[in-house]
Amino acid sequence: MSDSRRSSRGSSKNSAGGGARRAAGVRRASSSTSGAKPAKAASAKSSDAKGASRTGRSSASGATAAKGSSRTASAKNSAGAKNSARAKSSAGAKAPTRHTSVNARHAGTAAATSAGRGSAKGRKKKAAATNFLNYPRAGAKNPWRWIPSLRMIVGAMALMVLAGLGFAVWLYNDTEVPEPSDFALAQTSRVYYADGETEMGQFSEVNRTELPADEIPDNIKQAVVASEDSSFYENRGVSPRGIVRAMVNNLQGGARQGGSTITMQYVERYYTGTETSYVGKAKEAIMALKIDQQLSKDEILSRYLNTIYFGRGAYGVQEASQAYFGKDATELTDADAALLVAVIPAPSTYDPANNPEEATRLWDRVITRQVNEGQLTAAEGDALTFPETIAPRNENSLGGTNGYLLAQVRGELIEAGFTEDEINTGGFTIVSTIDPTIQNNTVQAVENLPEDRPENNRVGTVTLDPSTGAIRGMYGGPDYVAQAQNDATQSRMQAGSIFKTFTLIAALEDGFPLDSRWDGNSPKDFPDVPGGWEVNNFNDVDYGRVSLEKATASSINTAYAEANLEIGPQRTMDTAISLGLPEGTPGLNAEPSNVLGSASPTVVEMAEVYATIAAGGVHRDAFIVESVTRPDGSSRYQHEGTDTQAMDEEVAINATVALQGPPKVGSARSLLDTMDGRPVAGKTGTSESFRSAWFVGFTPQLVTAVGMFQPGQDGSEESLTPFGGARSMTGGTFPTDIWGDIMAPSLEGQEMLDFAEEVTLDNETRERSYTPPPPPPTTEAPEPSEEPSEEPSEEPSEEPSEEPSEEPSEEPSEEPSEEPSEKPADPTTKPGNGGENTQPTEEPTSETEGGADTSAGRVEGDGDESPPED
């Protein structure tokens, strides 16, 4: 029998029972159809009972049975259909007892109805959230339950917005705009000597003339708005569109932009300074908003144009008009105004006097923007031509020799991260490393040169402290205004024999001691060099086999050429670089001729390199700025050097021993009297065809490099024109004189320190075995070695040409180290100082001079006059 049929019977029987229960007085819910109520109660009870006893099913099964009962009752009695339907809805609930309240019964009925409907439709009830954010998500399975719900995301975003608004409100209320009078719109930066008290000069003394707003021409107002901030009259001091555009550009890797409006630029330059932090930029933007509320647009624009730096030492549009065009701002044409606006981002860089191509491009950009903004018609824009400007007027503070020092200070600050505007308007106290006494001695030493010195003869000098790298003195030229190129830091000239020092050091490092022997005869062919290579000594003097120390003292070309090929020209080049010479030095290569100085360094570079030797092999970069202090006394910059051990200290000691030869017995021995016996190490140098002459030397306290050259009218290097009585210009002439005139007075009062004595290097494994042959028989008694210092100038003209070629070829290989002190006392009187030599000659008086040129009573035995081959 089917469940439906059983259910129908049960329903019929329970209908009768239902009447009995009602008779017993059970409370009933009110109904408009009283006749159906008994059937409802009985049907519910019967269905529940049967479902529980026969099938044991859940309330869902009870609902099914009730449904069947309802259909059976409807077939028998149409009046009971409604009651049967009600029974269907309550079949799944437990039949109420006589003590069950009406509300309880209704609740059960509702639950059964809901369950029945859900089962019928096949839907599952959604789990309720356990917290406001519904995290982790209720009813979701891993890992989905850990993914934030939409409610949580929206809540977090709302919280961030509220926090951002709160921070913005706090920052706005906390940021105050100071009165312009509380800040100097532009302050002069002053540069001092190393003592911190003696002023050297100033940077851009403020040159400003303020114009009333109605006197500033409209054409420059329009041009600056079109170029710098086209939304100036519409924005509130900040341009969200500009900021977004700048952010997108920066994220895409374009040139860094800040999205600043004119108002923000005004704030940045004259209230906050240069800001790079996000908080600083936020405060800058808030100040711009407040200023925009306090001042009219025309007032903001007028203040901006009255205070901004236009270059050439000019602040404000009035002085800029005078500096660039020599007229008042009221007379500016549209083309003039566009050019002044074009240079605003970087005045010195975009000045047409410095970069006409870039200035023209930016000028055209301003005109194009004015046309796009409707300030000019296309026809008017096309009709404009690039305006002519007057020559820049250099500040008076840059005049004379100090101008080179100030320019060097400015350049070093820019390399350290300062901007030109910051230097010119920051009001800094800048302390340089220049010693006022040494600087005065430096200038005086050059002024001591003979009056017949050619006008185009140029000299550069640098004196520095090897223990720190600090530049103590510098001569870059006579007048920075007349000649802006610094001959100490910018001009380049061939090094000549001062480059032999690098071969000397490389040989010591490779195991060759100072007494290793080399062929010093001249000329000498090197057939193993591709294309062949012939090297000559000065005047083709033969020295025989000489020690490395002797080759250094007499600057013997052939001996050093052999040494360079032995160690390899690459070693010479690498040594120069390791000691501080820039890799990009013009002419620096690994060719055999590099030992003769084919490279063209600057004077400051060679001073820095030789300072490495003087400092025991420790390299330190040369510098000129010691410190920078803000107007409020806080530190803006402090030099911090880096020490690098470029070579072994013992190698530096032995190299110094060899370099004491030229000042003692070689081409620079005039310093013996000048320095009053103070130990000096150094090297002279003369390049091909006498195009440059050098002396670079040092004491334990100071290093000085002197370079001399002569440019032609077309800028090419000419051969140095002799002057002051000298027949040829070598490193042993006036460069050595200048060096002595700088160093002697600069070291007065300082302790006379000795250099370390020669040491035996651990790597000395490549000494050449050489035993000089016995001297030939002679009936003459050998001359005492005391002669050189006893009568150096008593007979300057007696024997300069008597024995020029008799001894150089006869004895150099017999006693190469014995002779240097026998006859070095050729004339040493300086030209212009009363000394005369009636028989000048280019031939050496003995092998000691190394090919000394005794012209005009001066020993010039540089021994490096043979031209280096490229």
Side-chain angles (χ1 to χ4, degrees):
M1 184 182 292
S2 66
D3 289 341
S4 60
R5 292 181 180 178
R6 287 197 296 267
S7 180
S8 298
R9 289 198 184 99
S11 179
S12 176
K13 292 178 181 178
N14 288 332
S15 296
R21 289 180 182 276
R22 286 196 295 274
V26 178
R27 292 180 59 187
R28 297 168 297 169
S30 59
S31 175
S32 58
T33 311
S34 59
K37 292 176 181 176
K40 171 184 177 184
S43 176
K45 180 178 181 181
S46 175
S47 298
D48 186 86
K50 283 190 176 183
S53 62
R54 292 187 178 184
T55 64
R57 295 177 181 174
S58 63
S59 59
S61 299
T64 304
K67 183 177 181 181
S69 175
S70 176
R71 288 198 298 268
T72 303
S74 176
K76 292 183 178 180
N77 189 349
S78 59
K82 189 178 293 185
N83 294 335
S84 180
R86 289 177 179 173
K88 174 185 174 183
S89 66
S90 61
K94 183 178 180 182
T97 64
R98 69 181 61 186
H99 301 292
T100 303
S101 66
V102 175
N103 291 338
R105 290 198 306 274
H106 284 192
T109 302
T113 302
S114 176
R117 291 176 180 173
S119 177
K121 295 181 180 181
R123 287 202 303 255
K124 191 174 181 181
K125 182 179 178 181
K126 186 176 181 180
T130 59
N131 54 58
F132 175 74
L133 295 178
N134 190 23
Y135 190 81
R137 296 168 61 185
K141 295 182 179 180
N142 285 333
W144 304 107
R145 66 192 306 261
W146 299 107
I147 298 177
S149 65
L150 180 61
R151 183 186 305 175
M152 184 176 184
I153 294 174
V154 172
M157 292 178 64
L159 186 63
M160 292 174 62
V161 170
L162 291 174
L165 290 174
F167 176 75
V169 171
W170 171 82
L171 194 61
Y172 185 88
N173 292 329
D174 186 66
T175 303
E176 296 182 359
V177 179
E179 292 295 328
S181 57
D182 293 341
F183 290 83
L185 296 177
Q187 301 182 57
T188 301
S189 294
R190 289 176 169 79
V191 183
Y192 294 87
Y193 285 96
D195 58 13
E197 298 178 356
T198 307
E199 185 172 322
M200 178 190 297
Q202 303 175 357
F203 284 133
S204 294
E205 184 176 356
V206 178
N207 183 22
R208 176 187 294 110
T209 301
E210 292 194 11
L211 294 178
D214 57 354
E215 292 185 18
I216 298 178
D218 288 338
N219 57 8
I220 195 166
K221 289 181 180 180
Q222 294 172 354
V224 77
V225 168
S227 177
E228 299 294 312
D229 182 9
S230 60
S231 66
F232 172 72
Y233 288 104
E234 289 77 32
N235 64 51
R236 305 300 299 171
V238 176
S239 174
R241 183 177 61 181
I243 294 174
V244 171
R245 182 175 62 249
M247 290 178 61
V248 172
N249 175 81
N250 296 342
L251 291 174
Q252 290 177 344
R256 187 172 179 81
Q257 299 178 1
S260 296
T261 62
I262 287 177
T263 309
M264 291 177 68
Q265 291 182 48
Y266 174 73
V267 169
E268 177 182 327
R269 282 176 169 84
Y270 307 106
Y271 290 100
T272 65
T274 303
E275 289 285 356
T276 57
S277 67
Y278 290 112
V279 174
K281 282 293 184 183
K283 287 187 175 182
E284 178 184 299
I286 290 173
M287 290 178 66
L289 289 170
K290 289 191 173 184
I291 287 177
D292 190 81
Q293 294 174 0
Q294 296 172 4
L295 303 174
S296 66
K297 290 289 187 181
D298 197 47
E299 181 66 20
I300 293 173
L301 188 58
S302 298
R303 289 190 180 187
Y304 176 79
L305 288 171
N306 266 324
T307 55
I308 196 168
Y309 181 62
F310 286 88
R312 300 193 179 191
Y315 293 84
V317 62
Q318 169 64 17
E319 294 302 330
S321 180
Q322 289 287 348
Y324 282 87
F325 306 110
K327 57 187 176 183
D328 290 335
T330 54
E331 303 174 14
L332 289 173
T333 65
D334 291 342
D336 297 339
L339 178 57
L340 291 184
V341 171
V343 304
I344 287 176
S348 296
T349 303
Y350 301 148
D351 187 331
N354 299 330
N355 195 338
E357 294 81 9
E358 189 67 8
T360 303
R361 184 185 71 81
L362 293 173
W363 173 83
D364 185 70
R365 168 185 169 275
V366 174
I367 298 297
T368 301
R369 291 199 171 193
Q370 286 189 269
V371 172
N372 294 339
E373 292 296 321
Q375 297 173 0
L376 297 172
T377 65
E380 291 173 335
D382 292 339
L384 297 178
T385 58
F386 190 80
E388 292 186 6
T389 60
I390 63 177
R393 297 190 298 269
N394 288 292
E395 294 98 331
N396 291 334
S397 62
L398 295 180
T401 58
N402 278 2
Y404 300 97
L405 304 178
L406 294 172
Q408 187 71 13
V409 167
R410 179 190 290 273
E412 193 165 297
L413 289 176
I414 291 175
E415 287 184 4
F418 288 75
T419 65
E420 292 227 11
D421 277 358
E422 191 178 9
I423 296 170
N424 292 332
T425 66
F428 297 124
T429 297
I430 304 167
V431 178
S432 73
T433 61
I434 300 297
D435 184 299
T437 301
I438 295 177
Q439 181 62 24
N440 182 67
N441 296 335
T442 298
V443 175
Q444 190 61 47
V446 179
E447 292 179 352
N448 287 343
L449 292 173
E451 293 182 0
D452 63 341
R453 175 189 173 203
E455 186 177 348
N456 61 338
N457 179 278
R458 305 266 283 269
V459 173
T461 78
V462 171
T463 299
L464 54 82
D465 182 350
S467 66
T468 62
I471 298 175
R472 298 305 186 191
M474 176 188 292
Y475 184 90
D479 184 7
Y480 183 82
V481 174
Q483 173 201 310
Q485 179 164 310
N486 190 326
D487 289 331
T489 63
Q490 295 174 314
S491 297
R492 295 187 175 276
M493 58 201 89
Q494 280 193 339
S497 286
I498 59 174
F499 220 80
K500 290 174 181 172
T501 300
F502 303 128
T503 304
L504 165 67
I505 293 172
L508 293 173
E509 290 178 335
D510 286 2
F512 292 103
L514 290 177
D515 60 357
S516 58
R517 299 288 175 167
W518 309 87
D519 186 357
N521 289 322
S522 176
K524 184 174 178 59
D525 289 322
F526 297 94
D528 293 339
V529 176
W533 187 32
E534 180 180 289
V535 179
N536 301 80
N537 293 330
F538 185 44
N539 291 328
D540 273 337
V541 176
D542 287 328
Y543 294 91
R545 299 197 58 84
V546 296
S547 68
L548 189 60
E549 185 174 3
K550 167 62 180 175
T552 305
S554 297
S555 195
I556 302 174
N557 291 340
T558 55
Y560 260 102
E562 182 183 24
N564 195 39
L565 290 175
E566 182 73 22
I567 64 173
Q570 183 70 43
R571 287 282 293 116
T572 294
M573 186 182 79
D574 291 343
T575 300
I577 295 172
S578 67
L579 265 62
L581 193 68
E583 277 189 68
T585 300
L588 181 62
N589 55 44
E591 298 295 326
S593 60
N594 63 9
V595 65
L596 301 180
S598 56
S600 297
T602 64
V603 172
V604 70
E605 289 169 355
M606 293 311 297
E608 185 178 307
V609 165
Y610 273 69
T612 302
I613 306 171
V618 178
H619 174 260
R620 299 177 176 94
D621 292 333
F623 68 100
I624 196 171
V625 177
E626 187 66 52
S627 65
V628 179
T629 306
R630 297 186 180 94
D632 62 2
S634 61
S635 176
R636 172 65 176 82
Y637 171 82
Q638 182 68 46
H639 173 77
E640 295 181 0
T642 301
D643 296 352
T644 304
Q645 191 71 41
M647 64 177 173
D648 187 79
E649 182 178 6
E650 292 187 339
V651 172
I653 290 174
N654 282 2
T656 301
V657 169
L659 290 172
Q660 292 176 61
K664 283 182 179 180
V665 297
S667 54
R669 66 175 176 269
S670 62
L671 292 175
L672 287 172
D673 291 336
T674 303
M675 298 301 292
D676 195 23
R678 185 183 292 270
V680 174
K683 186 72 184 73
T684 57
T686 309
S687 67
E688 176 185 1
S689 301
F690 302 95
R691 288 194 177 96
S692 61
W694 293 78
F695 182 68
V696 187
F698 56 91
T699 67
Q701 297 100 324
L702 292 174
V703 176
T704 293
V706 179
M708 179 180 289
F709 70 106
Q710 182 173 310
Q713 291 184 351
D714 59 354
S716 61
E717 278 189 84
E718 297 179 344
S719 296
L720 288 166
T721 302
F723 63 91
R727 292 185 57 186
S728 58
M729 304 299 295
T730 66
T733 59
F734 294 111
T736 299
D737 291 346
I738 294 172
W739 190 96
D741 288 346
I742 293 172
M743 294 287 278
S746 297
L747 291 169
E748 282 184 4
Q750 295 192 36
E751 182 181 0
M752 188 176 290
L753 301 176
D754 290 324
F755 292 113
E757 295 183 358
E758 181 181 355
V759 296
T760 301
L761 302 179
D762 294 337
N763 66 340
E764 289 183 2
T765 58
R766 304 180 65 178
E767 180 175 356
R768 297 195 171 194
S769 57
Y770 171 73
T771 302
T778 178
T779 58
E780 297 181 8
E783 294 291 332
S785 59
E786 287 77 11
E787 290 290 335
S789 60
E790 293 182 7
E791 298 179 354
S793 58
E794 293 184 9
E795 299 179 354
S797 60
E798 299 298 327
E799 299 182 359
S801 59
E802 298 295 329
E803 300 177 274
S805 59
E806 294 180 8
E807 292 189 5
S809 60
E810 293 180 7
E811 299 187 24
S813 61
E814 298 175 6
E815 297 182 70
S817 60
E818 302 292 335
E819 292 292 326
S821 59
E822 291 187 8
K823 294 183 180 181
D826 284 337
T828 57
T829 54
K830 297 182 180 180
N833 294 331
E836 293 183 0
N837 187 347
T838 58
Q839 298 181 10
T841 177
E842 295 182 3
E843 295 296 325
T845 58
S846 75
E847 59 118 0
T848 304
E849 278 83 36
D853 185 343
T854 57
S855 61
R858 175 182 299 281
V859 176
E860 300 175 356
D862 196 18
D864 55 3
E865 311 319 1
S866 64
E869 298 179 15
D870 297 334

